[in-house]
Amino acid sequence: MPRGKTAGKAPCKPARQLLFSEALRQQKYPAPADSPPPSHDTMSDNTQGASMDRILQEISAVGRKLEGMDTAMSALTAETRSMRLEIAGFQSQISGLDHRVAAVESQVVLQTDRDQELLYLRSKLTDLEDRSRRNNIRFLGFPEGIEGTDILSYLRDTLPKLADITFDPPLEFQRAHRLGLKRQNGQDRPRPIIACFLRHGQVRQLLQRRQGPLRLGPLEIRLSADFSKETADQRRAFLSFRPRLRHLDVKFGLF
């Protein structure tokens, strides 16, 4: 064979070597088992099944959450009902308290009116009592028994001399007596004498004299108007406060 014709061709492998190489390839990379390739419909069914399972799981989870919410709503409803009952009880109590407060307020108003009326009546009674005593004079310092059996005659004869006043007409009395029970011991403080004069002008003459207390020998006889207890307490309080008023007058020139 000429050398020029065979120089450009690759040497051919013998058929036996080719068969052996093919057998080795098949042993190394065996062909897959005979099974039909999955079709498009089967893949779609598998995907839809997985999606349905996931959806069912989510629905089940939502259902459990809804059951929990139902339980919570039931508890909340029960608590709301109990709160409504408590509020209703409170409202009934408040209504009862309102009625009681209204009753107390009406009683307070009535009591206030009664207090004002009582104060007015007391003031009127005090005024009437002072008016009924306007002709009375209290004498303190006359010894017990000095008047004898006729106290009116003793006062009629003694007072003009002690006061150094000439009464015209002469002194006249409606009544006179000592206050309180008779002293058992002559050394005790003598009881005051209260005398009711017939004429108010003579009472003013005796009370307005400014020579100080009457003098019966070494004894000092004091006299004062016969006020009611309320007026006497007010006068006593004013007299106790008057020195302080004088002090303020001197210090600040207020009075």
Side-chain angles (χ1 to χ4, degrees):
M1 182 177 296
R3 185 176 294 179
K5 292 181 180 181
T6 59
K9 295 182 180 180
C12 294
K13 293 182 179 179
R16 185 176 180 179
Q17 188 176 359
L18 289 173
L19 292 173
F20 182 72
S21 298
E22 184 64 22
L24 289 177
R25 187 182 65 78
Q26 290 180 358
Q27 289 180 0
K28 188 175 182 180
Y29 302 102
D34 295 338
S35 60
S39 63
H40 181 71
D41 294 336
T42 303
M43 294 178 63
S44 177
D45 292 339
N46 294 334
T47 304
Q48 290 180 357
S51 300
M52 289 298 295
D53 293 339
R54 187 166 55 253
I55 292 172
L56 290 175
Q57 292 177 358
E58 293 179 356
I59 291 174
S60 178
V62 171
R64 288 192 297 270
K65 290 182 180 180
L66 290 176
E67 289 179 356
M69 292 177 65
D70 289 339
T71 304
M73 287 297 295
S74 299
L76 183 60
T77 303
E79 186 175 358
T80 304
R81 289 177 181 174
S82 64
M83 290 178 65
R84 286 180 179 177
L85 293 175
E86 291 180 359
I87 292 173
F90 290 152
Q91 288 178 348
S92 62
Q93 292 179 2
I94 291 172
S95 178
L97 290 176
D98 288 338
H99 291 300
R100 294 176 63 183
V101 168
V104 170
E105 288 178 349
S106 62
Q107 291 179 1
V108 167
V109 172
L110 291 176
Q111 187 65 33
T112 303
D113 296 339
R114 291 174 183 174
D115 290 342
Q116 294 178 355
E117 184 178 3
L118 182 60
L119 289 176
Y120 174 74
L121 293 176
R122 282 182 177 177
S123 64
K124 292 290 290 183
L125 181 61
T126 301
D127 181 67
L128 290 174
E129 188 175 358
D130 288 334
R131 288 180 182 274
S132 66
R133 296 184 179 192
R134 63 194 302 264
N135 287 349
N136 293 355
I137 293 182
R138 289 173 179 255
F139 298 96
L140 184 61
F142 283 109
E144 288 278 347
I146 195 173
E147 68 276 10
T149 59
D150 191 357
I151 191 172
L152 294 179
S153 298
Y154 176 78
L155 293 177
R156 188 183 302 113
D157 297 337
T158 305
L159 288 179
K161 299 176 183 179
L162 296 180
D164 194 15
I165 299 176
T166 301
F167 295 97
D168 187 21
L171 291 177
E172 292 187 65
F173 301 92
Q174 293 182 355
R175 58 189 176 274
H177 62 277
R178 287 189 182 268
L179 298 177
L181 299 176
K182 186 177 181 179
R183 301 286 192 267
Q184 298 296 331
N185 188 358
Q187 296 181 355
D188 292 338
R189 185 177 180 180
R191 293 173 296 165
I193 296 176
I194 181 169
C196 179
F197 289 73
L198 183 63
R199 298 175 181 86
H200 183 67
Q202 295 176 348
V203 174
R204 294 181 60 185
Q205 280 184 289
L206 283 171
L207 292 178
Q208 289 177 358
R209 53 182 307 281
R210 299 184 179 277
Q211 289 81 9
L214 305 179
R215 304 296 303 186
L216 181 62
L219 301 177
E220 185 177 279
I221 309 300
R222 295 184 176 274
L223 63 161
S224 64
D226 184 30
F227 296 110
S228 63
K229 183 179 183 302
E230 290 77 8
T231 305
D233 293 340
Q234 294 177 3
R235 187 171 180 270
R236 193 177 301 110
F238 174 74
L239 292 177
S240 64
F241 186 67
R242 188 167 59 181
R244 284 181 282 177
L245 295 180
R246 291 178 179 175
H247 175 70
L248 293 176
D249 186 14
V250 173
K251 186 175 182 180
F252 301 104
L254 298 177
F255 302 98

